[in-house]
Amino acid sequence: MIVKTKIGTIEYSDVGTGKPILFLHGGHGNCNESLWHKGFDQTKFRLLTPTRPGYGNTPLSTFKSPKEAAGLVISLLDKIGIEKVVIIGISAGGLTALDMAANYKDRVEKLILLSAVTKKWLQPSDTLYKKGKLLFSPTMEKLSWSMFRVFFRLMPLTMTKTLFKELSTLKAANFDRNEIETIKGMTFNQSSGDGFANDLEQNIASDTLSKIECPTLIIHSKNDKTVSIAMAYHAQKNITNSDLKLYSNKWGICSGSAQIVPNL
């Protein structure tokens, strides 16, 4: 769905009924991502996923910073009549999640950071920054994703292994057919728009984390290659009411809802 709020246009998905859970997706994502919904009973949880500015059908326009994006998401909650949510900030969506928890305290019941960026993500000298700027700029991203999808159709196992090397610090792993199809499906649903190039430049105010008062669960993989584990330690150190749980899962990104649901 696409709605016009008091301050701007935003796209979002809304499935299930019950306790509202707000997912703030990572880089290349959008409101159609369902990987993070796995494990949630949709008769007990209402799963809301806004498309962050610059991705999908949510214009970047004047919502380039995490603070501005947070305000847009709050305006969405106002529009659809939701007073309070549990926020799950995923990867590059972490900064917007942190800003919401710090500056809209009466709207956030709990905060969960899932492999989340918690400060300036990358520097211009970093290889991942350079690669992101080259492959996923607004002028190149459509070609890049088209090529990825062609290769996934032709060589699904090879492409799964290639993506694995980008995401995980583990040297080798085996992949079953279901795993390959899941990764392929995720890739076919992703795009970068103007959003990813903007994510590479985002940062939050230095006092943001210290302003957060709600219970916060930080989940991070020891094998995460794209978002350093230092991000998790940074959040734990600066958020007073926080708990850190580390995992050694294969892919490096923490996508298992089994770790999340008991804490809701």
Side-chain angles (χ1 to χ4, degrees), residues 144-198:
S144 295
W145 284 108
S146 294
M147 293 300 294
F148 290 157
R149 287 162 190 152
V150 168
F151 289 137
F152 251 111
R153 288 190 182 99
L154 297 175
M155 306 175 294
L157 177 57
T158 299
M159 287 301 293
T160 299
K161 290 179 178 179
T162 299
L163 185 58
F164 178 79
K165 290 179 181 179
E166 294 292 321
L167 297 176
S168 178
T169 59
L170 294 180
K171 300 302 180 184
N174 295 318
F175 310 99
D176 59 34
R177 183 180 298 275
N178 181 63
E179 198 171 3
I180 293 170
E181 286 302 314
T182 298
I183 296 301
K184 178 181 175 181
M186 181 183 72
T187 302
F188 274 59
N189 189 46
Q190 290 185 319
S191 61
S192 308
D194 299 325
F196 190 73
N198 186 62

